[in-house]
Amino acid sequence: DGGITQSPKYLFRKEGQNVTLSCEQNLNHDAMYWYRQDPGQGLRLIYYSQIVNDFQKGDIAEGYSVSREKKESFPLTVTSAQKNPTAFYLCASSPQRELDTLYFGPGTRLTVT
Amino acid sequence: SQKIEQNSEALNIQEGKTATLTCNYTNYSPAYLQWYRQDPGRGPVFLLLIRENEKEKRKERLKVTFDTTLKQSLFHITASQPADSATYLCALDEDTGNTGKLIFGQGTTLQVKP
């Protein structure tokens, strides 16, 4: 059963805590992405990685960190420095280093109180 | 930088009619433009990609047009069904150099009434 998995589906944290969102793909895709979605807004790119051990900041990288130690995994850490962390987080992958269509995971809804 | 504008107002139509959604961009014409469908609480699903040298692309009841003069793409669903109710997002590369950074519009919600 191929695809992208994100876990957990819902995540609750207290303010001031770091939290790591999981993203795994078994599609053998080179590129992986993290987007954030807020109500009434489009998806905004946080970080992306086109190859293992390399990643670039997106438009809203402040307060987030990532790693890409394995091709199939691209975890996102939401740090306490992120001012408005409550959002729907979407991970995606793409077959090629150059942009192709994106395959999205089911998303993680993070609530920080 | 490139910006995408989609009608933020929901589109309500009757079953069987054709739904037409609009995507406008502000700067250079991208090499291609993509359309995705997103259901509530789910990740977007890719529907169609149209390249700058293509005027029109079809897939079953879906049709996409790309007008680089108007800087606009239209997304049509013919013979619409209640199951087509969802939010539709358009997306394109953020820069001309195929950077790998796809930017999205805020989406238009379509509601098809039986």
Side-chain angles (χ1 to χ4, degrees):
Chain A
D1 189 19
I4 302 178
T5 57
Q6 291 184 244
S7 59
K9 178 70 174 173
Y10 299 95
L11 191 53
F12 298 88
R13 280 293 183 270
K14 294 290 187 186
E15 194 174 316
Q17 293 179 335
N18 292 354
V19 59
T20 297
L21 281 59
S22 167
C23 178
E24 303 278 332
Q25 55 100 358
N26 61 3
L27 300 169
N28 199 33
H29 286 176
D30 284 319
M32 295 187 75
Y33 305 80
W34 274 105
Y35 285 89
R36 167 184 173 140
Q37 188 173 35
D38 296 281
Q41 296 195 39
L43 280 66
R44 292 184 290 167
L45 183 63
I46 305 173
Y47 268 98
Y48 64 108
S49 168
Q50 294 174 306
I51 192 170
V52 175
N53 292 322
D54 188 37
F55 48 82
Q56 287 76 42
K57 293 181 179 179
D59 301 317
I60 55 166
E62 186 176 348
Y64 299 98
S65 66
V66 293
S67 63
R68 186 85 187 278
E69 297 176 0
K70 299 186 296 183
K71 188 175 185 178
E72 58 270 23
S73 179
F74 191 41
L76 173 75
T77 296
V78 184
T79 75
S80 56
Q82 168 50 232
K83 293 188 181 349
N84 297 297
T86 295
F88 188 46
Y89 290 87
L90 287 159
C91 178
S93 69
S94 179
Q96 303 170 13
R97 293 176 195 179
E98 293 79 31
L99 186 61
D100 204 324
T101 59
L102 296 184
Y103 295 74
F104 282 89
T108 292
R109 188 165 298 280
L110 173 65
T111 302
V112 177
T113 58
Chain B
S1 62
Q2 184 73 282
K3 290 196 187 321
I4 301 176
E5 296 166 355
Q6 292 186 258
N7 192 345
S8 59
E9 289 184 17
L11 178 62
N12 295 294
I13 65 168
Q14 207 65 35
E15 181 177 8
K17 301 292 186 185
T18 296
T20 299
L21 286 67
T22 304
C23 175
N24 296 295
Y25 54 93
T26 56
N27 293 336
Y28 60 89
S29 281
Y32 52 77
L33 190 146
Q34 303 181 24
W35 284 89
Y36 290 77
R37 168 183 172 142
Q38 186 176 25
D39 291 287
R42 310 282 293 271
V45 175
F46 170 75
L47 295 175
L48 281 168
L49 180 152
I50 185 165
R51 300 186 185 281
E52 61 179 336
N53 60 349
E54 298 174 317
K55 295 293 184 201
E56 183 180 296
K57 199 82 168 278
R58 290 176 185 263
K59 178 182 175 183
E60 297 173 351
R61 293 184 296 111
L62 310 180
K63 184 178 83 170
V64 173
T65 62
F66 194 5
D67 189 326
T68 56
T69 301
L70 293 178
K71 297 187 177 181
Q72 181 180 82
S73 175
L74 298 179
F75 177 82
H76 305 272
I77 305 176
T78 59
S80 61
Q81 305 166 0
D84 295 326
S85 299
T87 296
Y88 292 87
L89 310 170
C90 72
L92 47 82
D93 199 300
E94 187 183 68
D95 204 347
T96 56
N98 196 6
T99 61
K101 295 170 68 175
L102 199 62
I103 58 172
F104 286 80
Q106 79 269 37
T108 298
T109 297
L110 172 66
Q111 187 71 33
V112 181
K113 298 186 187 303

